Amino acid sequence: APAWLRRLCGHLLSERLLRPGGVQAVVRGVLEGTDGGAGTEAAALDWRKCDAVGKILAACPQQCLSLEDYYRQVCPQILDLLHIQDKAAAQQFQRVATTTLLTMAREQPQLAERHLLQPLLAPLRRCSEAAELALEDLAAGAVLVPEAELGSCVEDVLKVYVVGNDSSSLLLGSLQSVLGVVFSLYSFAKQNVSYLRSLCQDILLWFLEKAEREQSLAVLEGLAGLSSHVPTLHPRCQLRVGSEGGAAVVVEETISDCSSDEDEALYQKISSEQCHVESLVELLSHCQKSGLAGDFFIHCLKELTQVAAEDEAAPNPAVEPAGSLLELEQYQARQGRKLLVLQLVAALCESVSDTVFTDIVQVQEFVAAVLHRACAHPARGPGAAAEVQTLAMAMGLVAAVLGGAVQLQSSDFVVLKRLVPLLEELSRTYPEPLTQELASDLRIAICTHGACSPGTVGTAADSVLGRKPGTGAPSPAGVPGRAPSPSSLQHGHGSPSAHGERSKERSTRHEPTASGASPAPCADSPAPAGLQELLLSAYDPQPPSRAAALRRLASLVTQRDPEALRLQEKLLQVFLENVQHEDAFVYLSAIQGVALLSSEYPERILPVLLARYECPAQGTEDAAAAVTRMKLGEVLMRVTRALGDMVFQHREPLIRAFLRGARDPDSALRASSLSNLGELCQHLGFQLGSIIQEVTCCVTAIARTDPEAEVRRAAVHVVVLLLRGLSEKVTEVLRDVLRDLYRLLKHVATAERDGATVLHAQLALEELDTAVRRVLFPPPALEKKIVVLP
């Protein structure tokens, strides 16, 4: 076209553009005749037209007095293009609006933020924690953001940010200011049926994917409530379900002084926090491939270590009379933060732990966080078992990586070498010798790039990978360019190889365990090679390897392996000796094995278990003997559950053993024996017979005279279980002792000082009342009778 025609058309176009409704008129005029993109070529042509119109709208015409004035007139009309109701033209208008907005944001970021992004996000910012609106002046229940406005705002954000897919710093920064409100809306929509759930999820995932990793972690930390990087929903604002499937924001009512209202508010707060954590974990479950979930998990572990260090360094003002109110508030804030971090770590472990780590760097950072915590705060106190198990898991993970779980390159060993200082410190300062040994061996394996791998590393790797002990990874000795196998190097080195040989000799010679157990089965037993390896591993000094071997042996018993059943006495000996082990993984695996073996051969195994339960091993301390007897009691109860109705023929020896345990000097064992007695009576039901007299006398005497509250509580609990087990047969089976039990329960309910014991007695009285009423006042039954008259 000639130049004069282009100038004239541009002048007329600009003049029409600046009039009211001019943007929509210009877009309709330019896009007239297109069908919305049917076919590949037509769609490309349609997209080019929309892009061209967007660039025209973003350029300020010469007739306009100032750029600010042009943006003030045009930007509201551009936002209106997102709300076109005509389905045929809606997609084209949205493309034009998105292209125009993104072009303006690139060319004039300040003006675009003032006239486009702020009005676009206004409904979300209005209910944000950072809002300048004086919510106190609004009446309770007033609608702050209507349902239609909030839904339209979320849809517009999805169209501009997610569909436009421009990850500039301006767009990411503006969206970050409302992510807290979007996340609250996402968490709210998860609990209800709302179309906003998928929209909010797409917005959150888009931001977490496009932002820098540090920014994404900071946003996740803010969404979890650990920082103030992300403004959340205003405390006075509340989301309510809308009539059209959306949500509305209203002003929350103030809490009155009534205690019930305060309890309800506390319950709502705790429920909301729990729902936020679950929503955050579900959101992270979609970010596992990118590695964001693993990075946030490691961040939470580091935060847990830091919070624990601060908690140990800071004094507790609750027990110090000189502490001020400010110190008490700070202490409560630290405790709340610690609980929140613990809740996050637990939820992440439960939901995304199986695929949370995607590369060696994340594994190294996770293990470094655990090792740093172990070096700074060695396991002690009531949580020592959990700390030790976490440390064993982390070190086993490194051993698995070195043992062939991942094909390592030289760059991977550069990453793993960051663990060497921590492993060296752990091998020198940690109080447990076995952990020191494994830390030293892992340091050797990393420094030698796996060429020298002591025996403990392979054992830990087999435990984590689930391989049979001793199989390990394929030997790389025959591969060109690879280091020789670990076995060929263990005989030619000094201290490291000797260290591994000592571990191997200790396992081969089967030295007695620390608990005084008898030696392991000898190497020349007639067991097959695979079963013999399992029997040897059942005495391995490393708890993970030992527990894995015990579970494998229990699995062979379940599968009725002929070789395992032939050596059932040897297996019973192995399981019973490992029951005395102090590690929870080991003795629980041993308990499971003994229970499975006893349910298969109760006539042979139960007498041995009952003898050990009544008479502990000689030479053990009273405390250790009581703990072992309680573990054996758990075995007996598992056998009872497995036998079902067949337990009747073993009724008398079982009850006799538990009655003797109820007279033991150790209060914990007395309570455990009574608990087992109650469960056994519940299983036996009407098969109790005359032995109920002995049970009643024992329970009555203990409930009235025992000095320990937990033992009296267990005695009354026996009555509760007995009544529940008998149900409708109470008056028939307990007719001789029912009055004595009723008097005992009434005495406990009126004279007992322990609240839990009184509660058990009240529960038993309710069970008894229900059973007697059922007998005295049976429900009416409709019957049809036919009488033949003479």
Side-chain angles (χ1 to χ4, degrees), residues 414-708:
V414 174
V415 175
L416 290 176
K417 282 184 179 180
R418 302 171 191 169
L419 300 174
V420 170
L422 291 172
L423 290 171
E424 184 176 2
E425 183 179 356
L426 199 69
S427 65
R428 290 186 291 102
T429 61
Y430 202 75
E432 189 182 5
L434 295 177
T435 304
Q436 290 184 2
E437 180 182 356
L438 181 57
S440 176
D441 293 347
L442 287 175
R443 183 179 63 86
I444 294 170
I446 293 174
C447 291
T448 59
H449 287 207
C452 180
S453 180
T456 54
V457 176
T459 303
D462 292 338
S463 175
V464 173
L465 295 174
R467 298 186 304 223
K468 292 184 179 180
T471 56
S475 174
V479 182
R482 293 288 301 271
S485 64
S487 59
S488 65
L489 291 174
Q490 285 180 357
H491 302 286
H493 286 269
S495 177
S497 61
H499 188 66
E501 289 296 330
R502 284 196 300 269
S503 300
K504 187 175 180 180
E505 290 175 5
R506 183 168 61 251
S507 300
T508 308
R509 282 186 275 159
H510 317 299
E511 295 181 358
T513 59
S515 59
S518 58
C522 57
D524 56 354
S525 68
L531 185 58
Q532 181 63 32
E533 289 179 358
L534 289 178
L535 292 174
L536 294 177
S537 299
Y539 291 89
D540 194 278
Q542 293 298 324
S545 178
R546 182 180 290 209
L550 293 173
R551 290 190 176 273
R552 179 58 182 160
L553 290 173
S555 176
L556 292 178
V557 174
T558 306
Q559 298 169 6
R560 302 186 66 84
D561 184 79
E563 296 297 336
L565 297 182
R566 185 173 61 85
L567 299 175
Q568 57 181 275
E569 295 182 359
K570 192 180 295 294
L571 292 180
L572 178 62
Q573 176 188 358
V574 171
F575 287 138
L576 289 178
E577 290 173 359
N578 280 282
V579 163
Q580 305 175 30
H581 199 277
E582 59 183 5
D583 188 84
F585 287 165
V586 175
Y587 72 71
L588 287 176
S589 302
I591 286 175
Q592 181 184 10
V594 178
L596 290 173
L597 199 61
S598 303
S599 61
E600 294 288 340
Y601 303 98
E603 293 81 6
R604 302 180 187 176
I605 308 299
L606 269 181
V608 179
L609 295 179
L610 290 170
R612 293 218 178 188
Y613 184 79
E614 296 181 16
C615 302
Q618 300 294 329
T620 57
E621 299 180 358
D622 294 339
V627 172
T628 303
R629 291 178 68 184
M630 283 189 282
K631 294 175 182 176
L632 291 174
E634 172 65 22
V635 174
L636 292 174
M637 292 320 301
R638 292 195 183 192
V639 175
T640 300
R641 300 186 198 107
L643 290 177
D645 294 338
M646 297 298 295
V647 77
F648 172 73
Q649 57 183 334
H650 308 286
R651 174 191 64 174
E652 294 187 3
L654 284 170
I655 290 183
R656 183 169 59 249
F658 292 142
L659 288 176
R660 289 181 180 175
R663 297 195 301 268
D664 194 85
D666 189 273
S667 61
L669 181 58
R670 293 202 304 274
S672 174
S673 300
L674 287 171
S675 177
N676 295 336
L677 179 64
E679 188 171 350
L680 178 61
C681 292
Q682 185 180 14
H683 281 291
L684 288 173
F686 64 90
Q687 298 176 340
L688 278 168
S690 59
I691 207 168
I692 190 60
Q693 297 283 354
E694 299 179 32
V695 175
T696 305
C697 293
C698 174
V699 169
T700 303
I702 291 177
R704 289 178 179 270
T705 62
D706 199 281
E708 298 292 336

Side-chain angles (χ1 to χ4, degrees), residues 352-425:
V352 298
S353 58
D354 52 346
T355 55
V356 70
F357 299 128
T358 57
D359 54 16
I360 295 295
V361 177
Q362 288 185 330
V363 172
Q364 179 268 327
E365 291 182 356
F366 165 71
V367 176
V370 176
L371 295 182
H372 180 72
R373 178 174 175 81
C375 294
H377 311 284
R380 56 178 177 270
E387 295 286 348
V388 171
Q389 292 169 7
T390 305
L391 180 60
M393 178 191 68
M395 298 176 73
L397 184 60
V398 179
V401 170
L402 294 171
V406 181
Q407 188 69 28
L408 295 177
Q409 307 295 331
S410 57
S411 58
D412 298 331
F413 280 103
V414 174
V415 175
L416 290 176
K417 282 184 179 180
R418 302 171 191 169
L419 300 174
V420 170
L422 291 172
L423 290 171
E424 184 176 2
E425 183 179 356

Side-chain angles (χ1 to χ4, degrees), residues 47-242:
W47 180 256
R48 286 195 295 269
K49 276 191 175 183
C50 294
D51 190 36
V53 174
K55 292 180 180 179
I56 291 173
L57 295 178
C60 179
Q62 298 178 357
Q63 293 90 334
C64 193
L65 298 178
S66 66
L67 192 61
E68 177 84 21
D69 185 59
Y70 175 73
Y71 272 68
R72 187 181 300 109
Q73 295 182 36
V74 172
C75 289
Q77 300 184 54
I78 293 174
L79 294 178
D80 289 338
L81 295 179
L82 298 170
H83 307 143
I84 297 296
Q85 300 299 323
D86 185 8
K87 294 183 179 180
Q91 187 176 6
Q92 294 176 323
F93 279 87
Q94 290 171 13
R95 286 179 179 176
V96 171
T98 302
T99 304
T100 306
L101 191 148
L102 298 178
T103 305
M104 288 181 170
R106 284 192 298 267
E107 296 178 355
Q108 300 292 335
Q110 295 181 353
L111 294 176
E113 182 179 9
R114 187 182 311 129
H115 296 286
L116 284 174
L117 298 181
Q118 290 184 3
L120 176 68
L121 303 174
L124 295 175
R125 289 185 173 179
R126 195 183 311 159
C127 54
S128 174
E129 189 178 16
E132 299 178 357
L133 186 64
L135 296 177
E136 291 77 7
D137 299 336
L138 297 177
V143 178
L144 188 61
V145 182
E147 176 188 5
E149 185 180 2
L150 185 61
S152 176
C153 176
V154 174
E155 291 176 352
D156 292 347
V157 170
L158 182 73
K159 296 170 186 175
V160 172
Y161 288 86
V162 181
V163 178
N165 198 22
D166 188 346
S167 56
S168 63
S169 59
L170 173 64
L171 293 175
L172 291 175
S174 62
L175 184 59
Q176 182 176 345
S177 63
V178 296
L179 278 183
V181 181
V182 175
F183 179 72
S184 298
L185 190 58
Y186 168 71
S187 180
F188 174 79
K190 259 182 92 280
Q191 305 174 65
N192 305 279
V193 180
S194 176
Y195 69 93
L196 295 176
R197 176 183 176 182
S198 59
L199 304 181
C200 295
Q201 178 177 311
D202 291 342
I203 294 170
L204 293 168
L205 291 177
W206 178 84
F207 181 89
L208 295 176
E209 179 185 354
K210 295 299 180 181
E212 297 291 336
R213 185 53 54 93
E214 292 78 8
Q215 188 179 8
S216 299
L217 292 176
V219 167
L220 288 174
E221 191 178 13
L223 297 180
L226 297 176
S227 67
S228 57
H229 293 293
V230 180
T232 58
L233 189 68
H234 198 281
R236 287 289 312 279
C237 292
Q238 185 180 14
L239 292 168
R240 287 188 181 176
V241 179

